[in-house]
């Protein structure tokens, strides 16, 4: 579900002219991986790690040391959102971002 949501978001941003976005999988030379990388004009923009089997965050090493992208998010099954170098969002909140009519607003008029 996270992959489909990100793909929909990337397609929407491209359709409305916000940039030239693409969705990738990334792994570094030490074979540490992050589930998703969103690039804008081939430059890292957003790293997303989905830990839907976890209820609490535990950002992987690549995300913790990842100033390579403007944003880093870990999506967990449930819990409270957390700010920091790696933002933590519960899946319900992450998947509730409506990407079609009003970019970045939550469904239900938020």
């Amino acid at each position: 579900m996270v992959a489909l949501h990100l793909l929909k978001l990337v397609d929407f941003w491209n359709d409305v002219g916000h940039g030239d976005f693409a969705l990738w999988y990334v792994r570094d030379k030490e074979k540490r991986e992050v589930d998703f990388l969103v690039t804008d004009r081939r430059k890292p923009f957003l790293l997303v790690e989905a830990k839907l089997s976890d209820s609490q965050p535990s950002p992987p090493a690549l995300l913790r040391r990842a100033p390579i992208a403007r944003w880093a998010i870990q999506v967990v099954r449930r819990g409270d959102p957390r700010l920091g170098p790696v933002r933590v969002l519960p899946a319900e909140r992450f998947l509730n971002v409506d990407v079609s009519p009003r970019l970045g607003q939550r469904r239900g008029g938020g």
Side-chain angles (χ1 to χ4, degrees), residues 1-55:
M1 286 194 74
V2 173
L4 292 174
H5 189 72
L6 284 169
L7 183 59
K8 183 177 174 183
L9 182 63
V10 163
D11 287 345
F12 175 73
W13 284 344
N14 288 332
D15 289 348
V16 298
H18 284 302
D20 182 19
F21 292 91
L23 183 60
W24 305 87
Y25 162 83
V26 66
R27 181 171 58 192
D28 68 7
K29 291 178 182 177
E30 287 82 32
K31 299 191 188 255
R32 294 174 297 196
E33 54 192 45
V34 173
D35 293 334
F36 307 102
L37 168 66
V38 176
T39 59
D40 181 17
R41 294 174 185 88
R42 301 187 62 86
K43 293 183 179 170
F45 178 74
L46 170 67
L47 288 166
V48 178
E49 179 72 16
K51 293 288 189 185
L52 298 181
S53 61
D54 295 347
S55 59

Side-chain angles (χ1 to χ4, degrees), residues 54-57 76-82 88-93:
D54 295 347
S55 59
Q56 295 300 315
V76 295
R77 183 170 26 120
R78 66 175 73 99
D80 294 323
R82 295 185 190 172
V88 177
L89 289 175
E92 178 181 335
R93 186 164 181 180

